[in-house]
Amino acid sequence: MPGLLSTAVPPASSFALVDDVAGAGAGLERCTELLRGMGHHVAGAWVIVDRHDGTAYRLARLDVPLHTLLTIQQIGSAAPPPGRAGAASSGTKARTEVAP
């Protein structure tokens, strides 16, 4: 599609899609369709966090592998208990001081 790319791309190029968070997957799906419509190949999609909201399913239908660094469940299980966020992240015990 004219005007979408700001630099020339050789015909039949391969692309890797990269996103921070995979939600429902509509954006990655649309990018795949646009690139393929211009005659390009999408090698795969890489995301930092997969929220498991449908991206893998959408991309699988298009035969595009989804690669993730973390899932939302992994992030949730690594969270410190409530009230301990500062202590867990700094490695020191939380301390409260009250002035006399």
Side-chain angles (χ1 to χ4, degrees), residues 23 27 44 60 65 75:
I75 292 172

Side-chain angles (χ1 to χ4, degrees), residues 7-97:
T7 60
V9 176
S13 293
S14 282
F15 284 83
L17 304 180
V18 180
D19 204 351
D20 55 354
V21 178
L28 291 170
E29 180 182 53
R30 183 73 179 130
C31 285
T32 298
E33 291 168 345
L34 285 170
L35 289 167
R36 286 183 175 169
M38 292 186 284
H40 300 297
H41 169 73
V42 176
W46 283 259
V47 297
I48 298 171
V49 179
D50 184 0
R51 292 178 39 206
H52 291 294
D53 287 338
T55 300
Y57 173 74
R58 282 180 183 239
L59 294 180
R61 290 185 327 180
L62 297 172
D63 199 29
V64 174
L66 175 65
H67 307 277
T68 64
L69 183 60
L70 297 167
T71 66
I72 196 71
Q73 290 83 1
Q74 289 171 315
I75 292 172
S77 67
R84 295 286 308 209
S89 62
S90 67
T92 61
K93 291 184 178 183
R95 204 169 84 171
T96 305
E97 294 183 23

